[in-house]
């Protein structure tokens, strides 16, 4: 079997990045620009990239030519020509990156349109990493006003934390000062954590200006970014793991309200009696229930605590509920329904909710948790932006209480945390709150997707602060995008290709998704969410392999009903639901979580990287061990997979290990 397909679901591999060094300065260059800019091992910038965004917020890959890379001990330079769009009707961009051991890094771009070219955004994008930036004080030079100090908020802002940026200076560690200066356009910053990106993004042009806008052949554009690093540390202070205190920069006016708005950085709660969340199996449409019933034994063994049905009244308004009833009877799961309303007014929503309730009553199906959202709530709106007419949150809650008596009322959003944060729910109306995430909104490469796990504690801390103690549920999640709040729908990608905002991501059927999901659980477990929903029975997000209308390398040659790696993750998590969490941490690319089930302990360990990693010592007593990796995936696809007592010393790429002292959930 092709190892790449086992790992990522596709034989298409990502181009290798080239490491560039100039004394203490280091960066990795690839098709999207510079990644992980470091000084003496300290990450000072997550990325310096030139990007083009289409009118639908797509991010097309350029055709690169004339690539030249020169490097010696004291400097490096990269230059190339990037073409975006159709031949003769696109953009031609000449890009250069230059780095120096003296502590300077420059990026320049000359943009020429071959024909009138519509874009939502074209220019350099700078990503600041979360560590050493979130919750710290920075110095901002503005084009129109005097410089000032600004506290980058610890809690995720729904809008932009900084506008009108000419330069921004931060200290990733004490004594190390990094100035990033912009020219050629007006830049501003957004809190990328909203979309689960592990960064703050500085970009042009401002989102408040009309878009899409048009680039013309007779008006070329020049942009530049200059990064200046000043290191005042002694040799003994230059360790990459040095303490990162808040930045104190003198000689600038302070934003008087900044500190009170930001508050302290929210730490991950210590493990102290948290319970493993229930597992919810998502049903994105009623038809998914019928498709799932074909695989009765696999679904019975999965034993999810919940079925999470998204009921769009425009699509499933008259669909039969008998398959759903059969699936509930098979799995013994409880039912939660999220209703997507077509209503534009309170009165229309009342009638629509009453009709849905009557359908479930006549079918004899008890709904134990219920939510309903206006269709526009699955769309994205900027903070303060006027929304089309829609029923009020309080009116929806009252209607649900009238027609679904006894069911738990759930608010939040049917979309991603971004919309939860921008249209903040009233916790007093609900017994639970929900949001989802998708890791491919802005970037779809393997590293960026795995890095989204870094943002999850920030998201859960921010959501907890908004929930006023009301329990949170997370999901449905997955590598792909189930919905697209920024366009008409998820992108239809070639099925073997990684693509932003696409639903049928190949990694969902590989070990990558299994490891990523374990990493996700480890990151959110300290916040004690009530429910974690991921995967689906079949389809692009499926746990079970079934024929699709697109080619799936390797899986199309297996018998129908083969089990994707993610199936086993779901089964192990479902079996542990409600158990006491004993530890949950991520270190050196390995995620691990241990819980107590009855009198015995169980654990999941996942390698979040594409290289081998040492297996941590969890201190379990003679556990049974399941090793889900590239070597054993074929066996796991046909059933429970092999297990024994051997604990591996090394974890292969994206390997997941399940350990069970009680030997009950293998």
């Amino acid at each position: 079997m092709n190892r790449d397909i086992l790992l990522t679901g596709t034989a298409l591999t990502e181009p290798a990045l080239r490491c560039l060094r100039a004394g203490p300065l280091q960066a990795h260059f690839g098709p999207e620009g510079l990644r992980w800019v470091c000084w003496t091992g300290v990450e000072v910038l997550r990325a310096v990239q030139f990007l083009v965004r289409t009118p639908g917020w797509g991010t097309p890959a350029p055709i690169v030519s004339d690539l030249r890379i020169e490097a010696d001990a004291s400097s490096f330079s990269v230059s190339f020509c990037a073409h975006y769009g159709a031949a003769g009707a696109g953009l031609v961009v000449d890009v250069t990156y230059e780095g120096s051991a003296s502590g300077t890094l420059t990026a320049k771009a000359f943009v020429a349109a071959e024909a009138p070219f519509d874009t939502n955004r074209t220019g350099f994008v700078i990503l600041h990493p979360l560590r050493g930036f979130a919750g710290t004080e920075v110095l901002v030079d503005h084009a129109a006003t005097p410089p000032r100090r600004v506290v980058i908020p610890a809690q995720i802002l729904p809008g932009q934390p900084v506008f009108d940026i000419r330069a921004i200076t931060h200290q990733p560690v004490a004594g190390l000062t990094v100035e990033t200066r912009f020219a050629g356009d007006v830049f501003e910053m957004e809190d990328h954590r909203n979309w689960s990106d592990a960064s703050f993004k500085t970009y042009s042009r401002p989102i408040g200006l009309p878009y899409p806008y048009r680039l013309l052949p007779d008006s070329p554009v020049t942009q530049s970014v200059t990064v200046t690093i000043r290191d005042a540390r002694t040799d003994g202070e230059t360790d990459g793991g040095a303490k990162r205190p808040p930045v104190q920069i003198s000689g600038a006016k302070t934003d008087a309200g900044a500190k009170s708005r930001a508050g302290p950085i929210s730490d991950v709660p210590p493990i102290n009696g948290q319970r493993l969340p229930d597992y919810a199996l998502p049903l994105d449409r009623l038809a998914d229930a019928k498709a799932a019933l074909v695989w009765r034994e696999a679904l019975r063994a999965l034993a999810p605590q919940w079925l999470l049905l998204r009921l769009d009244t425009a699509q499933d308004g008259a669909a039969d509920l008998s398959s759903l009833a059969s699936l509930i009877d098979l799995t013994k799961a409880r039912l939660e329904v999220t209703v997507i309303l077509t209503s534009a007014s309170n009165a229309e929503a009342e009638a629509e909710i009453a009709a849905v309730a009557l359908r479930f009553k006549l079918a004899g199906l008890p709904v134990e948790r219920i939510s309903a959202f206006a269709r526009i709530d699955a769309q994205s709106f900027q903070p303060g932006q006027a929304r089309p007419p829609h029923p009020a949150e309080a009116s929806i809650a009252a209607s649900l209480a009238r027609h679904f008596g006894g069911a738990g009322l759930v608010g939040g959003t049917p979309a991603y945390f971004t919309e939860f944060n921008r249209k903040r729910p009233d916790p007093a109306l609900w017994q639970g709150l929900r949001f989802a995430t998708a890791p491919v909104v802005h970037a779809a490469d393997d590293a960026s997707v795995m890095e989204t796990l870094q943002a999850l504690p920030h998201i859960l801390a921010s959501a907890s602060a908004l929930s006023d103690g009301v329990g949170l549920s997370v999901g449905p999640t997955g590598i792909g995008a189930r919905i697209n709040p920024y366009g008409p729908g998820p992108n239809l990608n070639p099925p073997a290709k990684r693509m932003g905002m696409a639903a049928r991501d190949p990694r969902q059927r590989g070990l990558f998704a299994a490891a990523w999901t374990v990493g996700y659980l480890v990151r959110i477990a300290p916040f004690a969410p009530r429910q974690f929903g991921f995967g689906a029975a079949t389809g692009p997000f499926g746990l079970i392999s079934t024929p699709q209308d697109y080619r799936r390398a390797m899986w199309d040659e297996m018998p129908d009903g083969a089990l994707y790696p993610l199936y086993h993750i779901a089964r192990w998590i479902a079996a542990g639901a409600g158990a006491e969490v004993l530890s949950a941490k991520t270190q050196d690319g390995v995620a691990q979580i241990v819980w107590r089930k009855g009198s015995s302990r169980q654990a999941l360990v996942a390698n979040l990287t594409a290289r081998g990693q040492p297996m941590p010592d969890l201190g379990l007593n003679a556990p049974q061990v399941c090793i889900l990796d590239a070597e054993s995936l074929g066996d796991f696809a046909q059933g429970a997979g092999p297990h024994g007592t051997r604990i591996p010393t090394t974890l292969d790429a994206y390997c997941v290990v399940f350990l069970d002292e009680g030997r009950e959930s293998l």
Side-chain angles (χ1 to χ4, degrees), residues 85 130 216 303 313 326 442 446 525:
L130 302 184
L216 299 173
T313 59
S326 296
H442 291 114
D446 291 350

Side-chain angles (χ1 to χ4, degrees), residues 509-546:
R509 53 186 181 262
L511 286 163
F512 187 101
W516 181 83
T517 303
V518 173
Y520 202 115
L521 175 66
V522 170
R523 292 287 189 168
I524 67 175
F527 297 90
R530 292 179 177 178
Q531 190 189 91
F532 182 25
F534 60 86
T538 60
F541 291 92
L543 306 178
I544 303 169
S545 173
T546 58

Side-chain angles (χ1 to χ4, degrees), residues 163-458:
F163 295 93
D164 185 28
I165 303 171
R166 184 166 59 187
I168 186 167
T169 303
H170 77 290
Q171 285 186 341
V173 297
L176 184 63
T177 303
V178 182
E179 179 195 75
T180 306
R181 185 166 293 274
F182 306 89
D185 206 337
V186 178
F187 284 75
E188 64 187 24
M189 178 183 293
E190 70 183 10
D191 195 334
H192 241 196
R193 296 175 296 176
N194 272 300
W195 296 270
S196 75
D197 296 79
S199 60
F200 288 78
K201 179 174 72 176
T202 304
Y203 61 90
S204 68
R205 76 188 204 156
I207 197 69
L209 296 178
Y211 63 87
Y213 60 98
R214 180 162 291 181
L215 299 175
L216 299 173
D218 58 355
S219 301
V221 175
T222 301
Q223 276 193 13
S224 67
V225 178
T226 303
V227 181
T228 304
I229 302 170
R230 300 180 180 89
D231 194 346
R233 301 170 297 165
T234 64
D235 290 342
E237 297 175 326
T238 57
D239 178 69
K243 185 179 179 181
R244 290 161 167 78
V247 177
Q248 300 295 329
I249 303 174
S250 60
K253 179 181 177 181
T254 300
D255 179 354
K259 290 186 178 180
S260 63
R261 288 198 303 270
I265 294 179
S266 298
D267 293 327
V268 175
I271 299 299
N272 184 24
Q274 292 95 324
R275 298 290 169 175
L276 207 66
D278 286 348
Y279 170 61
L281 176 66
L283 302 171
D284 295 327
R285 293 196 60 177
L286 268 174
D288 292 350
K290 184 176 182 180
L293 284 172
V294 176
W295 313 105
R296 300 180 66 86
E297 292 307 314
L299 269 295
R300 183 183 287 111
L302 181 65
Q305 281 71 46
W306 293 88
L307 298 179
L308 180 57
L309 171 66
R310 183 185 180 96
L311 182 70
D312 189 325
T313 59
Q315 297 177 345
D316 292 324
D320 180 47
L321 297 177
S322 60
S323 292
L324 178 62
S326 296
L327 187 59
I328 292 172
D329 183 63
L330 172 70
T331 61
K332 310 305 179 187
R334 303 161 73 184
L335 178 62
E336 178 174 342
V337 180
T338 296
V339 183
I340 306 300
L341 304 168
T342 60
S343 308
S345 69
N346 294 343
E348 292 172 346
E350 166 74 16
E352 200 170 355
I353 289 170
V356 172
L358 180 60
R359 288 182 61 201
F360 281 92
K361 181 179 180 180
L362 293 175
L365 284 178
V367 176
E368 300 204 33
R369 284 164 54 103
I370 183 71
S371 60
F373 301 97
R375 182 173 300 280
I376 65 163
D377 286 341
Q379 300 173 18
S380 181
F381 293 86
Q382 289 293 318
Q385 182 180 359
R387 295 172 181 256
H390 61 282
E393 180 185 18
S395 179
I396 289 176
S399 294
L400 291 174
R402 278 191 292 272
H403 298 289
F404 288 89
L409 305 185
V410 181
T413 178
Y416 306 139
F417 172 78
T418 317
E419 314 318 318
F420 184 98
N421 200 18
R422 288 179 172 178
K423 188 184 178 184
R424 296 180 172 183
D426 180 357
L429 298 173
W430 310 105
Q431 287 85 58
L433 295 170
R434 170 178 298 284
F435 63 85
T437 68
V440 293
V441 174
H442 291 114
D445 61 283
D446 291 350
S448 294
V449 169
M450 204 59 84
E451 283 173 351
T452 61
L453 300 178
Q454 299 172 18
L456 293 177
H458 296 251

Side-chain angles (χ1 to χ4, degrees), residues 498-581:
R498 305 161 175 86
M499 180 182 287
M501 294 306 299
R504 55 186 192 185
D505 193 291
R507 289 165 293 193
Q508 189 70 19
R509 53 186 181 262
L511 286 163
F512 187 101
W516 181 83
T517 303
V518 173
Y520 202 115
L521 175 66
V522 170
R523 292 287 189 168
I524 67 175
F527 297 90
R530 292 179 177 178
Q531 190 189 91
F532 182 25
F534 60 86
T538 60
F541 291 92
L543 306 178
I544 303 169
S545 173
T546 58
Q548 301 298 310
D549 60 359
Y550 51 86
R551 170 71 179 162
R552 299 167 305 146
M554 188 185 78
W555 293 98
D556 283 340
E557 281 70 55
M558 287 191 178
D560 294 345
L563 304 176
Y564 291 130
L566 192 60
Y567 172 89
H568 303 284
I569 307 305
R571 185 169 61 86
W572 290 327
I573 292 174
E580 180 188 2
V581 178

Side-chain angles (χ1 to χ4, degrees), residues 91-142:
L91 295 181
V92 178
V93 186
D94 292 319
V95 181
T96 61
Y97 298 106
E98 296 180 342
S100 168
S102 64
T104 61
L105 175 69
T106 61
K108 298 178 181 178
F110 180 81
V111 184
E114 298 172 311
F117 187 90
D118 291 338
T119 179
N120 279 3
R121 184 178 297 157
T122 290
F124 280 113
V125 168
I126 303 298
L127 302 182
H128 284 84
L130 302 184
R131 191 179 184 194
F133 197 76
T136 71
E137 192 175 76
V138 302
L139 172 63
V140 180
D141 286 356
H142 297 288

Side-chain angles (χ1 to χ4, degrees), residues 580-603:
E580 180 188 2
V581 178
L582 302 177
S583 66
K585 64 180 181 180
T586 304
Q587 185 174 359
D588 299 328
V590 176
Q592 60 183 63
I593 183 168
V594 182
W595 62 85
R596 179 181 288 112
K597 183 78 169 179
S599 60
S600 62
R601 293 172 294 176
Q602 298 170 343

